[in-house]
Amino acid sequence: MTADVTYVYPVVRTAAGSDEVARTIVRRETVMSWDDPVKVITEQGTFSLNSHKSDTTNGGCDNLTGYFAPEFSAERAVKGSGGGPEVDLYDRSTSLDARIRETGEAECGTATRS
């Protein structure tokens, strides 16, 4: 079974008087399988995680903390774009594997829409 889900995390700036909303968009693909207890040592009805992939826009480039660090428009204007390819995580015409192969995992891309 494959689950391919896009999550949108809206974040509001905490500064007084600010109503800007930044969105972190995460596309996650999880592949699971229900193993046959006759063939594999497992309990009836349990499943195995085969793979998990994710792709994120506006979550913080080179962010190794495990937390999202979205940038608001003022920070993006100072730093510029991610420098990598433009990415539309809402686009379902391409599988996550193919999208990652096309754009590369090492570069920090720029969201085409949020």
Side-chain angles (χ1 to χ4, degrees):
M1 179 181 89
T2 300
D4 188 348
V5 181
T6 300
Y7 297 91
V8 179
Y9 301 97
V11 181
V12 178
R13 187 183 290 279
T14 58
S18 176
D19 62 352
E20 180 183 1
V21 176
R23 290 171 184 81
T24 297
I25 305 163
V26 183
R27 183 174 172 191
R28 295 186 175 153
E29 180 188 85
T30 304
V31 179
M32 298 177 291
S33 68
W34 276 262
D35 297 318
D36 183 355
V38 174
K39 298 177 183 176
V40 178
I41 300 173
T42 186
E43 293 292 321
Q44 180 74 28
T46 59
F47 59 88
S48 299
L49 177 65
N50 288 0
S51 68
H52 179 268
K53 299 175 195 76
S54 67
D55 194 14
T56 305
T57 59
N58 197 26
C61 254
D62 302 322
N63 182 5
L64 303 176
T65 64
Y67 295 97
F68 295 129
E71 293 179 344
F72 291 87
S73 59
E75 288 98 17
R76 285 194 299 268
V78 170
K79 291 181 179 178
S81 69
E86 291 188 342
V87 178
D88 183 2
L89 291 183
Y90 296 112
D91 181 10
R92 296 305 183 127
S93 64
T94 306
S95 72
L96 195 52
D97 273 339
R99 207 217 58 70
I100 291 171
R101 271 194 311 273
E102 288 171 3
T103 59
E105 290 184 81
E107 296 185 58
C108 191
T110 303
T112 57
R113 58 182 169 152
S114 61

